[in-house]
Amino acid sequence: MARAVDVPAPSLRQRPWVRLAAPLLLVVLLAVLPLVLPESTNETLARIGVFAVAVLGLNVVMGYTGQVSLGQIFFLGLGAYITGYGVQQDWNIVLVFLLACLGAAAAGLLVALAAARLGGLAIAMVTIALPIVGVPLAKRLSDYTGGSQGLSARFADAPEATGLYDDQWQLYVVLVIGGIVFLLTRSLVRGKFGRAFAIVKGNEAVAASMGISPYRYKVLAFTIASLIGGVSGFLYMFVIQYTSPETMSFGHSIELLAAMVIGGAGSIVGSLLGGAWYVLVPELTNQVDSSLTALLQGVVLLAVLFVLPGGLASLVRRLGRGRRRLRAEPGPGASPTTPLSTAGSATATEETGTEKRGHA
């Protein structure tokens, strides 16, 4: 007689009502928070959202596709300059947004077409040149960029019909645009393109043998990352309302890369954590000792990577695995049981042995 098999009850996260209620609760929370938080907190959260989008773009090309890119800050700066110039020329703001995105994507496509056939350090060298060339180029094109003085544009005032303060309006815009970008990117990396990115990252020879063109998907990843960089540039100008050649400096590019590694490469949540690290850690280290800011940031970086090599996002996965192991361990009074498959195998072995003795 077959024994009944105990089917474990689904965890709380796997229940249908939780999967429906959690996103709704998150949307309600994000809609209410800007109304109750102080102005300084809203401004900080808006800046975190700007750089979280920038880290997300870097994650597409490095975390998911495995290609080295040290020029993501260039596309953020390019999007910011296009936005500032368009606002000063009184262009339609929707047109300005599209131009910032498409202009950065076009620049990224041109770089990718030349760099994607290369590998390893060669790609790194090409992308390193972007911020190095971008800073003097921005200074020279002073008619469009303001030169060394930079470019300012104020267009983030809250419409009177909304009844919102400026800081609340800015945070809502960042949440809406950034949230759409994160959802679209999540769908991308979880679909067929994401699987192709993962195969290219693992082994380009295997990808080619499976009919997946490494060159095509590397170009696609670079272009998408550049487009997301243009979005972050638009949001940067929307929130900061000022940009200069120093925005595209190589030092900021390294800080953006460190933020991606700290948050967690190849992780959507890691991009959010990376944006928070990019904004909050320099402020905290400045409060400790402004002359030791770089040293303290390096110490924090090494400490986090030593404890969590996968970044801060891996901490959530570790906690989840720990809870599952605790649930799987039998209690102190539990009696050992023999799996059905093992018992069945033993019976079949005994019957086979009896048949052999009978034939003998």
Side-chain angles (χ1 to χ4, degrees):
M1 182 176 178
R3 294 170 56 187
V5 179
D6 295 332
V7 179
S11 63
L12 185 63
R13 292 176 59 185
Q14 295 175 341
R15 294 178 181 177
W17 68 271
V18 173
R19 291 185 175 183
L20 292 175
L24 293 176
L25 180 62
L26 179 62
V27 170
V28 172
L29 183 64
L30 293 177
V32 172
L33 277 180
L35 301 176
V36 298
L37 293 176
E39 179 181 357
S40 60
T41 304
N42 282 341
E43 292 175 349
T44 301
L45 290 177
R47 287 188 288 118
I48 289 175
V50 170
F51 290 104
V53 173
V55 174
L56 177 67
L58 187 59
N59 236 330
V60 170
V61 71
M62 289 192 68
Y64 289 101
T65 317
Q67 307 304 309
V68 180
S69 176
L70 298 175
Q72 184 68 11
I73 198 70
F74 171 82
F75 301 110
L76 183 151
L78 179 60
Y81 271 119
I82 293 174
T83 301
Y85 182 78
V87 170
Q88 287 191 344
Q89 300 300 316
D90 292 327
W91 294 349
N92 182 276
I93 194 62
V94 177
L95 176 62
V96 170
F97 175 73
L98 293 177
L99 289 176
C101 299
L102 297 179
L109 176 61
L110 292 176
V111 173
L113 291 174
R117 294 192 184 277
L118 307 175
L121 293 177
I123 294 180
M125 292 298 103
V126 172
T127 55
I128 282 175
L130 292 176
I132 294 176
V133 172
V135 172
L137 187 64
K139 293 179 179 179
R140 180 169 291 274
L141 299 176
S142 57
D143 293 340
Y144 305 98
T145 64
S148 300
Q149 301 300 319
L151 195 67
S152 61
R154 183 176 180 85
F155 63 106
D157 296 339
E160 294 182 3
T162 61
L164 298 173
Y165 293 105
D166 291 345
D167 59 286
Q168 296 171 342
W169 172 250
Q170 290 176 12
L171 182 54
Y172 276 127
V173 171
V174 171
L175 288 175
V176 171
I177 296 179
I180 292 173
V181 172
F182 267 85
L183 289 175
L184 292 177
T185 305
R186 182 176 180 271
S187 300
L188 175 76
V189 299
R190 291 197 172 191
K192 65 177 184 178
F193 291 106
R195 291 190 292 271
F197 289 159
I199 296 172
V200 171
K201 177 182 178 181
N203 193 313
E204 293 186 15
V206 172
S209 67
M210 297 174 63
I212 298 173
S213 171
Y215 175 73
R216 181 182 304 170
Y217 281 96
K218 285 194 285 186
V219 170
L220 178 63
F222 269 102
T223 305
I224 293 174
S226 305
L227 188 147
I228 296 175
V231 176
S232 65
F234 175 85
L235 294 177
Y236 179 89
M237 206 63 183
F238 184 79
V239 173
I240 308 299
Q241 302 176 11
Y242 171 80
T243 188
S244 69
E246 293 304 315
T247 302
M248 297 188 291
S249 67
F250 183 68
H252 290 162
S253 182
I254 296 299
E255 291 175 3
L256 202 64
L257 175 61
M260 186 206 70
V261 175
I262 285 289
S267 169
I268 298 294
V269 176
S271 300
L272 290 170
L273 297 175
W277 186 90
Y278 189 95
V279 173
L280 297 179
V281 170
E283 293 184 356
L284 295 176
T285 54
N286 280 331
Q287 291 179 3
V288 175
D289 191 340
S290 59
S291 63
L292 298 176
T293 298
L295 176 62
L296 293 175
Q297 289 185 41
V299 171
V300 173
L301 174 64
L302 292 175
V304 172
L305 292 182
F306 182 78
V307 178
L308 297 169
L312 296 175
S314 64
L315 178 62
V316 179
R317 294 192 291 268
R318 284 191 178 185
L319 294 176
R321 286 196 296 267
R323 288 196 300 267
R324 287 193 294 270
R325 279 198 297 268
L326 289 176
R327 287 198 298 266
E329 290 178 358
S335 58
T337 57
T338 303
L340 294 176
S341 59
T342 305
S345 301
T347 305
T349 303
E350 292 174 1
E351 291 176 357
T352 303
T354 303
E355 290 178 359
K356 288 182 178 179
R357 286 194 299 272
H359 286 300

